[in-house]
Amino acid sequence: MKLIVKKDYEEMSKKAADIMIEEIKGNPNIILGLATGSTPIGMYKRMIKRHKEGEVDFSNVKSFNLDEYVGLKGSNPSSYKYFMNENLFDHINIGKENTYIPDGNAKDLNLYSKEYDNLIKKMGGIDIQVLGIGTNGHIGFNEPAKELAVGTSIVKLTENTMKDNSRFFDNPEEIPNTAITMGMGSILKAKKILLLISGENKKEITKRLLENNKVTTQLPASFLLLHPDVTIIVDEKAYKK
Ligand code: GLP
């Protein structure tokens, strides 16, 4: 595991964008695994800027997102589909047909979840997966629990996560309590993983993650310790002792 500590959010985002752009330039047909939340927004902004400056071309890139709320329409500004269009896809030359986001409105969600993993496999697998982390250690929407799903699946969100994420909803009461998320196996199959951590509110979880050389389903991000190619970029606010 490679740990990079950066001064602040801006520096973390810059380094993350540098890594992503190098990967895309090295493989124009790359398959990206993408994340939502406030943490990757700065990285996406820089990727957009450098695309607009002509440095990076997304025309052959494909992407798979980690997760989505169940029951929100893509036109709902709080949906992850809307988030991705707004924060990245609408501003780069990626084909929208090449951007995959789990469909939280699929008729048969269990069947759809299997198909999502199969599609990732069929496309050749994710080359680099971007992750954020929940204050409770979740990745994607894999919440701390006695057992964690291997493949993409439907999960109940914890009160903690619903509280953390209610800030993205005009009416915090409207946050769904169910989501579809890539499972731990879906995430760990990515060839490379880039975990971004920023801010004071992530200090405790960062400490738990980095100090315990153990895996536990109660801290889903700890499973990243088993992956051979993980880079963590953390800012000083999240890292300081
Ligand atoms: C949500 C997403 C996660 C993300 C997390 C952290 O729960 N499902 O994929 O990592 O939020 O969000 P933030 O970056 O806003 O702290």
Side-chain angles (χ1 to χ4, degrees):
M1 184 174 286
K2 188 170 166 201
L3 179 70
I4 303 173
V5 183
K6 288 290 177 187
K7 190 164 67 65
D8 54 23
Y9 179 75
E10 292 307 314
E11 291 296 313
M12 179 204 72
S13 303
K14 182 173 177 294
K15 180 66 186 171
D18 287 348
I19 292 175
M20 293 298 280
I21 289 168
E22 278 318 299
E23 291 287 332
I24 299 164
K25 283 187 187 167
N27 174 10
N29 300 306
I30 196 164
I31 306 205
L32 304 177
L34 299 177
T36 54
S38 44
T39 311
I41 292 177
M43 175 189 78
Y44 291 148
K45 282 208 168 90
R46 281 173 169 75
M47 287 167 69
I48 293 167
K49 183 166 176 280
R50 288 169 68 179
H51 163 69
K52 292 205 154 116
E53 289 166 357
E55 195 191 338
V56 57
D57 171 27
F58 291 85
S59 57
N60 291 315
V61 171
K62 293 190 177 64
S63 70
F64 284 90
N65 261 75
L66 278 171
D67 48 14
E68 177 61 284
Y69 292 105
V70 166
L72 288 193
K73 290 215 175 78
S75 55
N76 185 319
S78 303
S79 73
Y80 285 169
K81 181 168 185 180
Y82 194 97
F83 175 102
M84 288 309 300
N85 287 333
E86 185 97 333
N87 287 292
L88 184 64
F89 302 148
D90 283 348
H91 313 286
I92 58 175
N93 66 334
I94 195 164
K96 284 276 173 74
E97 69 284 5
N98 293 330
T99 65
Y100 299 91
I101 298 179
D103 180 1
N105 291 300
K107 272 212 180 68
D108 183 338
L109 283 164
N110 290 322
L111 179 67
Y112 175 83
S113 298
K114 287 198 184 80
E115 285 170 2
Y116 196 69
D117 283 326
N118 286 339
L119 189 61
I120 295 174
K121 194 171 165 197
K122 202 175 116 199
M123 297 283 183
I126 289 169
D127 292 299
I128 182 162
Q129 175 68 56
V130 177
L131 294 175
I133 186 170
T135 55
N136 63 359
H138 74 220
I139 50 175
F141 268 134
N142 294 283
E143 298 277 41
K146 219 168 95 205
E147 294 179 322
L148 297 173
V150 174
T152 296
S153 60
I154 308 306
V155 289
K156 282 266 170 270
L157 301 179
T158 60
E159 289 293 327
N160 178 83
T161 295
M162 287 169 68
K163 198 164 138 258
D164 279 356
N165 289 4
S166 60
R167 69 185 192 281
F168 292 110
F169 288 75
D170 285 341
N171 177 1
E173 306 282 298
E174 277 169 14
I175 183 167
N177 61 6
T178 313
I180 176 168
T181 182
M182 277 190 204
M184 298 302 294
S186 325
I187 293 171
L188 290 170
K189 281 190 190 100
K191 294 175 191 88
K192 292 184 187 182
I193 292 179
L194 181 61
L195 170 62
L196 308 181
I197 318 181
S198 166
E200 188 81 28
N201 64 333
K202 300 287 170 69
K203 207 168 80 175
E204 280 311 310
I205 197 65
T206 304
K207 206 166 167 212
R208 271 179 69 203
L209 176 66
L210 297 177
E211 281 182 357
N212 282 338
N213 203 23
K214 288 191 177 131
V215 298
T216 165
T217 59
Q218 297 301 333
L219 202 178
S222 67
F223 279 76
L224 299 175
L225 298 168
L226 301 173
H227 192 281
D229 194 342
V230 178
T231 301
I232 302 181
I233 316 180
V234 57
D235 70 7
E236 283 177 8
K237 278 197 178 136
Y239 187 67
K240 73 176 182 223
K241 305 272 159 352

